[in-house]
Amino acid sequence: MQLFQFLLDNIVAVVIALGFVATLLGKVKEKRKPGQTASFGGQPAPDRTEELQEERRRQIEGRHAALESERQRAYEADLELGRRVVDRNAREEARRASEADRASHAHRGQRSSPIIGGAKPELRAEDIRRAVVWAEILGPPRAKRPFRK
């Protein structure tokens, strides 16, 4: 009972002593290699680090392959979306050009000769912004492009 009372009266010393013991035990555990088990019977435990490294490498390669296929699918989906947008914009521009052509013919009362290679589309600020965004998405990453002054 007196020991218990002494420990309660000197609680700071008890906490310091427990911390010291925990530190010593932690250092003893750190000396063992990871993956090394305790040996019984005096024989050293077999070293399994190479097996574990090989298994870890296979897992990483599997994850890498899965991520790469997912990236490829996303890239192809983005390309398809870009193609659809470009096709839609081209149809819209052609429709506008034909409406403008019809309006100009109706106004003039004469037919003009067709432009070889199709009508030139007008550049709008929205189209330029969209082109820059698609160039960033579909182009090489910034890290792979040289910095020019």
Side-chain angles (χ1 to χ4, degrees), residues 43-58:
Q43 297 290 330
D47 191 14
R48 295 188 58 222
T49 55
E50 291 178 11
E51 295 173 12
L52 293 173
Q53 288 175 351
E54 181 65 25
E55 183 177 339
R56 179 76 175 147
R57 187 185 59 76
R58 275 189 253 121

Side-chain angles (χ1 to χ4, degrees), residues 29-130:
K29 287 183 181 180
E30 287 177 5
K31 288 183 180 179
R32 272 198 229 154
K33 292 180 183 177
Q36 183 180 6
T37 58
S39 62
F40 298 103
Q43 297 290 330
D47 191 14
R48 295 188 58 222
T49 55
E50 291 178 11
E51 295 173 12
L52 293 173
Q53 288 175 351
E54 181 65 25
E55 183 177 339
R56 179 76 175 147
R57 187 185 59 76
R58 275 189 253 121
Q59 288 175 351
I60 290 172
E61 286 176 356
R63 288 183 199 146
H64 179 69
L67 283 174
E68 193 61 35
S69 65
E70 182 65 30
R71 282 185 193 134
Q72 184 66 24
R73 282 192 294 264
Y75 176 74
E76 290 170 359
D78 286 345
L79 280 178
E80 182 60 31
L81 179 63
R83 287 183 190 120
R84 288 181 191 166
V85 168
V86 168
D87 290 344
R88 186 184 71 216
N89 287 344
R91 284 192 304 267
E92 186 177 312
E93 288 295 325
R95 183 184 54 82
R96 285 184 191 152
S98 66
E99 287 176 1
D101 193 35
R102 274 189 245 133
S104 69
H105 290 310
H107 185 262
R108 292 183 194 164
Q110 61 182 357
R111 293 185 61 111
S112 65
S113 62
I115 298 174
I116 297 175
K120 290 186 178 180
E122 292 181 27
L123 288 178
R124 298 180 307 197
E126 180 183 338
D127 293 335
I128 294 172
R129 273 187 243 122
R130 187 176 293 139

Side-chain angles (χ1 to χ4, degrees), residues 75 132-146 148:
Y75 176 74
V132 169
V133 169
W134 279 109
E136 287 296 320
I137 291 171
L138 300 176
R142 178 66 189 101
K144 292 199 174 193
R145 289 184 276 164
R148 296 184 185 120

